[in-house]
Amino acid sequence: MLFTKECDYAIRIMRALSSGELISVSRICEMEHLPSAMTYKITRKLEKSGFLKSCRGTNGGYALNLKLAEISLYDLCAAIDPDILLLECMKEGYPCSMNSPKNPCLVHHEFCRLQNMLVQEMKQKSLAEFISVSVFCLNLYYFSTVLSKEDFTK
């Protein structure tokens, strides 16, 4: 599967840290409604990949090590899950009776074409762009559900 829960959570962790401040894992969990065990695991992966830096201690936490504009959506997802695939059968060496060199599967071929397009788009989209769109959508959702039409006409 292309976007695992871990990829989703990694994007949300990066969004929580987008202010550039040092933020504790417990605060990230509160901000993004994430489970703490998974958040600790992902922040360690992101630190190991060079996206985050950590500060230990009672006032410790994580902060961005790179600007969001320097990180592509692809880079982040590949750091979390190196097998970015639409379908499991696209994995190298996957035994598929419907796809062989002598008798190639046209469905497989089409999914490979689509995956290549998606990967190219992910490589071109920075996290800064991606997160700013998601924040805009969240705000739009908030205002459309919380505020009434009367609030806009005042």
Side-chain angles (χ1 to χ4, degrees):
M1 169 119 11
L2 183 60
F3 290 104
T4 61
K5 272 189 182 179
E6 279 190 82
C7 284
D8 172 36
Y9 291 177
I11 293 166
R12 291 162 59 187
I13 289 166
M14 298 299 276
R15 179 174 62 193
L17 295 170
S18 64
S19 68
E21 297 175 33
L22 182 72
I23 301 176
S24 69
V25 171
S26 60
R27 180 69 184 124
I28 293 169
C29 292
E30 289 172 19
M31 292 168 69
E32 295 292 334
H33 307 283
L34 300 174
S36 60
M38 185 74 94
T39 303
Y40 276 105
K41 177 183 172 185
I42 295 168
T43 51
R44 284 192 298 273
K45 280 186 180 182
L46 294 174
E47 181 183 18
K48 186 177 178 184
S49 298
F51 298 124
L52 300 182
K53 56 187 171 187
S54 67
C55 183
R56 310 241 184 263
T58 55
N59 294 322
Y62 286 91
L64 295 176
N65 196 36
L66 299 170
K67 294 178 182 172
L68 292 177
E70 298 171 349
I71 306 167
S72 73
L73 181 58
Y74 176 84
D75 293 336
L76 182 71
C77 290
I80 297 300
D81 188 1
D83 290 327
I84 298 178
L85 304 170
L86 288 175
L87 298 171
E88 187 178 11
C89 73
M90 299 172 82
K91 190 177 244 180
E92 181 122 7
Y94 183 84
C96 180
S97 61
M98 299 298 291
N99 189 33
S100 67
K102 288 184 178 180
N103 197 11
C105 175
L106 297 179
V107 172
H108 179 88
H109 176 74
E110 183 61 16
F111 273 113
C112 285
R113 186 186 72 78
L114 293 172
Q115 177 164 323
N116 288 335
M117 290 171 55
L118 185 57
V119 166
Q120 284 307 105
E121 287 293 317
M122 290 173 67
K123 286 181 177 181
Q124 292 175 10
K125 182 71 72 176
S126 75
L127 283 182
E129 295 171 292
F130 190 78
I131 288 173
S132 68
V133 169
S134 71
V135 168
F136 173 78
C137 290
L138 281 173
N139 288 336
L140 187 62
Y141 173 77
Y142 170 78
F143 287 118
S144 68
T145 57
V146 173
L147 299 176
S148 68
K149 288 181 182 178
E150 294 171 6
D151 293 324
F152 289 107
T153 58
K154 290 180 183 175

